[in-house]
Amino acid sequence: MRLRRTHPIPLPLLPNHTILGLEIRAKVTEYVRLRIVAQRKDNPGQYQNCSVMRTNAMKYLPNFFPRGALEKLFFCFPDPHFKKKNHPRRIVSERLLTEYAYLLKPSVGRLYCITDVKDLHDWHVEKCEMHPLFEACSMEEMEADPCVALMKSETEEGKKVKREGRFGHDMYYIVYKRVNESGSGGEGAKEEVGSGSVTAENFFEEGGFGVELGTDK
C-alpha cells in the first residue's frame, strides 16, 4: 500500500530534532507509520528523524524520557471525553501536567494544545493556568511560532475540522511555556503566593504539592 499525496506537503519543520508520535490506537499508529515511510521514499534523506510508537502515553510517558529531555509536547485534537465521569481520562489534568512539566526542558519547553471543542479548550486553559510550572505564551508568540500554524493546517484532524466541522469549523489552541523552577521573572509571571503555597521553585521538592510529610509515631 502506497500513500499518495493530493496536496503539497511543506518541508520538515524540525529537521534537527527527534520527533516521536505516541498513539494508543493500532490503526492510527499504522497509518502514521505508513505516512512516514511514504515521505522517506518520496524525499530521500529526509524524515529520518521521526517515528511513531503504539503506547498509552497517559500511563507510560515518564518511562521513555528522563527529566527535562523534551522541548515540545503536542496534544492535537485529543478525545474530549464529554461525560463528566470521564473527565479524569482527559489527557490534560493536574496529575499529568506535573509529568509533562517534569519531562519538558525548563525555560525552553512548550506545551501545545489544539481542539475543535470549546469546552475542552476551556478545560486545557483552566488546568494549565492553575499549574505553577506553566505560563501561557502571548498571542504574538503563538502567531510567530510555525508549529502553531502547522498543527492547524497540516494535521489530519485539523483538515477534517475544516472539511466536515463535526463540532463547528473553529479551532481553539493555546501554547504554554515550561517555567524555570528558579522563577520565570517575565511580565507574564504568575502572581506571588503566600507562605506554604506550591510554587515553581518548590514544586519538585520533597513534601511538595502542598502536602506536609507526616512522621511515624
Side-chain angles (χ1 to χ4, degrees), residues 31 36 44 77 79 82 84 91 106-107 112 129-130 154 201:
Y31 174 78
I36 294 172
F77 305 94
D79 191 328
F82 287 110
K84 188 173 182 179
I91 201 164
S107 301
Y112 296 77
E129 287 292 335
M130 291 171 57
E154 293 300 325
E201 290 80 2

Side-chain angles (χ1 to χ4, degrees), residues 16-36:
N16 299 318
H17 291 69
T18 300
I19 302 170
L20 180 63
L22 302 178
E23 171 59 48
I24 195 171
R25 295 165 293 178
K27 289 184 178 180
V28 175
T29 304
E30 180 63 4
Y31 174 78
V32 174
R33 187 188 71 81
L34 291 173
R35 286 293 301 270
I36 294 172

Side-chain angles (χ1 to χ4, degrees), residues 77-78 113-118 120-121 124 170-173:
F77 305 94
C113 299
I114 186 169
T115 177
D116 57 335
V117 179
K118 181 62 165 59
L120 183 61
H121 171 71
H124 291 162
D170 293 328
M171 285 179 269
Y172 309 94
Y173 60 91

Side-chain angles (χ1 to χ4, degrees), residues 83-135:
K83 294 182 179 180
K84 188 173 182 179
K85 67 177 182 180
N86 290 330
H87 284 184
R89 299 172 61 187
R90 288 177 169 176
I91 201 164
V92 171
S93 66
E94 293 93 338
R95 177 183 65 81
L96 290 172
L97 280 171
T98 296
E99 292 187 3
Y100 305 151
Y102 183 85
L103 297 171
L104 285 168
K105 188 180 298 184
S107 301
V108 175
R110 295 291 185 271
L111 180 76
Y112 296 77
C113 299
I114 186 169
T115 177
D116 57 335
V117 179
K118 181 62 165 59
D119 175 70
L120 183 61
H121 171 71
D122 292 340
W123 170 281
H124 291 162
V125 172
E126 176 189 352
K127 300 306 177 186
C128 290
E129 287 292 335
M130 291 171 57
H131 202 287
L133 291 178
F134 286 103
E135 176 185 306

